[in-house]
Amino acid sequence: MTEIGSQAKVDSLRHPVATGHPPQLAVIVPSFNERGNIELLYEKLAIALGATAWEMIVVDDNSPDGTAAVVNEMSRVYANVRCIRRFGRRGLSSACVEGMAATSAPYVAVIDADLQHDEAILPQMLEKALAGADLVVGTRFAGEGSAATGLSATRLSGSRLATKMAAMIAGQPISDPMSGFFLVRRDIFENVAPKLANDGFKILIDLIVTSARSGKPLQIAEVPYTFRPRHAGESKMNPLIVIQYLGLWASKLSGGILPPSFLLFGLVGVTGVVVHMATLGLFTYSLGANFVISQIAATMVAMTWNFWLNNNLTYADRRLHGRKLVFGLIGFYAICALGGIANISVASGIYNLDHQTFAAGLAGAVMSSVFNYAVTRAFTWK
Ligand code: GDD
Ligand code: MN
């Protein structure tokens, strides 16, 4: 067998693209409905990066507007462009991770498709990485940087708060931990890639915290820029993304002991108690049903509520649809029933020890929550 890279093999496979320079820098562009931006972005990157050997990898979640088709057309003209197209999945962070994992370039940058990030600072970012920084962040909140032109007043204050929260877990000073614009050495990324959370928008802070936790805190440099208004299309930021960020943040605050999905599952459980009580009140007081009937109805409503919310929030990245949704719900009822049995047996066991009603009740509730979390994670949202 000939080795990869042996002269004979290279000669036999010689092809116009293969004769070019291998890329020094891969620019990863996560995209969802960015048809109107992608070509202009490429042109601007080409101007900014000049003679650097670079490639653009667009990671598109099968955008309904046909972004992938535009990128594929571009690939036929520019040899340094390609599209990774994902089906049945959504998510900015996971798109970045998969894009970064798909290149051989020693340096990788992530940039939004909508032209909000100033591509003109990329050469400066690369220079800092070549000079020894592990990670170079484009910042809107230091030096000459600014975000006022690209964010509404509400988004700006939300962004400030998220930035302060991020600073609490980053463990080192960084002015724009929520930035979606950064450049990193690929080996640094690869060290932690399997451990990165895949949901939401917070890839950068996750990269920093996860590296620090693995005992390799990053050398971070920053380059300021002015955040521009979006060119074409709409932002995909939504309340779900904010909640997913809160989940990651709380998880990192716990030292990574409690996974974000467990915290979100718990939060959903708390809302389920409220739904349970409201349904109970409705059945007994407004509809005049007896207690047992009302309690059964409240339990069913609360379980259905919890299932729906977990499907759309905790496990939004692996949301069930169609038949799987129906089977998932039935399975969820069954698992919750088992959780209830676990709850009662643990609680009564503890109660029999020393008759501490609340301690026993709490232990039972914790037991069934952990049980429900672990089992639904293994079977319902696997
Ligand atoms: N593949 C893929 N899948 N790409 C996505 C998805 C998704 O589910 N959601 C968003 N994107 C892409 C968009 O197409 C865009 O290129 C980029 O990710 C940023 O999305 P926007 O919708 O433009 O986000 P934003 O402008 O509200 O948020 C930006 O600023 C935040 C800080 O204010 C992003 O850079 C965030 O990372 C950053 O935290
Ligand atoms: Mn944007």
Side-chain angles (χ1 to χ4, degrees):
M1 199 177 88
T2 40
E3 266 174 63
I4 294 177
S6 75
Q7 200 51 51
K9 193 155 196 173
V10 170
D11 285 343
S12 74
L13 294 175
R14 198 170 284 283
H15 175 274
V17 177
T19 56
H21 292 288
Q24 161 89 331
L25 173 69
V27 180
I28 313 302
V29 185
S31 82
F32 192 74
N33 286 345
E34 302 287 3
R35 188 191 172 93
N37 295 319
I38 214 83
E39 208 172 339
L40 186 55
L41 175 68
Y42 177 82
E43 286 165 15
K44 284 175 172 273
L45 286 169
I47 293 168
L49 289 166
T52 309
W54 68 288
E55 65 174 344
M56 176 165 107
I57 303 178
V58 177
V59 188
D60 183 68
D61 288 349
N62 199 28
S63 302
D65 77 346
T67 306
V70 174
V71 181
N72 286 337
E73 250 173 70
M74 287 166 57
S75 303
R76 302 189 64 79
V77 183
Y78 309 110
N80 62 338
V81 177
R82 64 197 155 102
C83 184
I84 296 177
R85 195 169 170 197
R86 310 194 302 171
F87 298 96
R89 271 188 309 149
R90 278 291 309 273
L92 172 52
S93 289
S94 64
C96 297
V97 168
E98 284 170 42
M100 291 192 273
T103 181
S104 64
Y107 296 92
V108 284
V110 172
I111 191 167
D112 287 354
D114 58 5
L115 304 167
Q116 292 202 270
H117 298 152
D118 186 356
E119 70 296 327
I121 65 168
L122 272 169
Q124 224 179 315
M125 291 166 79
L126 183 58
E127 222 168 85
K128 293 207 176 199
L130 289 167
D134 296 323
L135 170 71
V136 189
V137 181
T139 176
R140 301 164 289 179
F141 302 123
E144 305 283 283
S146 147
T149 46
L151 288 179
S152 66
T154 331
R155 270 296 296 268
L156 193 58
S157 46
S159 179
R160 291 238 162 86
L161 179 65
T163 300
K164 288 208 178 96
M165 289 169 64
M168 290 172 66
I169 54 172
Q172 52 188 308
I174 162 161
S175 65
D176 193 358
M178 301 306 291
S179 176
F181 188 22
F182 58 89
L183 186 153
V184 65
R185 263 203 349 256
R186 187 166 53 87
D187 62 308
I188 298 283
F189 158 74
E190 283 184 353
N191 280 340
V192 292
K195 295 192 202 140
L196 297 173
N198 276 324
D199 54 350
F201 268 40
K202 62 270 154 162
I203 174 79
L204 175 64
I205 185 74
D206 199 15
L207 193 64
I208 296 171
V209 177
T210 309
S211 299
R213 288 255 151 78
S214 330
K216 295 186 188 112
L218 302 182
Q219 285 265 22
I220 304 176
E222 299 187 331
V223 179
Y225 76 98
T226 299
F227 195 57
R228 300 182 290 219
R230 173 177 258 281
H231 180 65
E234 289 167 4
S235 168
K236 283 94 206 170
M237 175 64 81
N238 61 42
L240 170 66
I241 285 163
V242 175
I243 293 170
Q244 286 173 332
Y245 173 65
L246 294 176
L248 182 91
W249 180 77
S251 167
K252 299 290 179 192
L253 264 195
S254 78
I257 297 167
L258 302 172
S261 56
F262 179 72
L263 292 164
L264 292 179
F265 193 86
L267 191 67
V268 167
V270 172
T271 69
V273 173
V274 176
V275 168
H276 185 107
M277 292 306 166
T279 315
L280 191 63
L282 179 78
F283 271 75
T284 43
Y285 295 110
S286 309
L287 303 177
N290 76 31
F291 179 75
V292 174
I293 298 285
S294 305
Q295 177 70 355
I296 292 173
T299 306
M300 294 308 291
V301 171
M303 282 194 299
T304 311
W305 164 266
N306 283 6
F307 176 79
W308 177 82
L309 209 53
N310 277 314
N311 195 45
N312 287 290
L313 182 76
T314 318
Y315 296 114
D317 58 328
R318 56 189 92 162
R319 197 175 283 152
L320 305 174
H321 299 278
R323 271 164 67 99
K324 285 191 177 158
L325 182 77
V326 176
F327 288 123
L329 178 62
I330 295 169
F332 188 79
Y333 289 147
I335 293 164
C336 291
L338 288 176
I341 295 171
N343 176 342
I344 293 164
S345 42
V346 166
S348 33
I350 292 182
Y351 180 78
N352 288 338
L353 289 180
D354 56 2
H355 296 260
Q356 294 282 327
T357 308
F358 289 110
L362 183 67
V366 169
M367 171 67 215
S368 58
S369 313
V370 173
F371 177 89
N372 288 354
Y373 169 73
V375 180
T376 56
R377 194 178 166 78
F379 292 102
T380 315
W381 292 284
K382 46 186 182 290

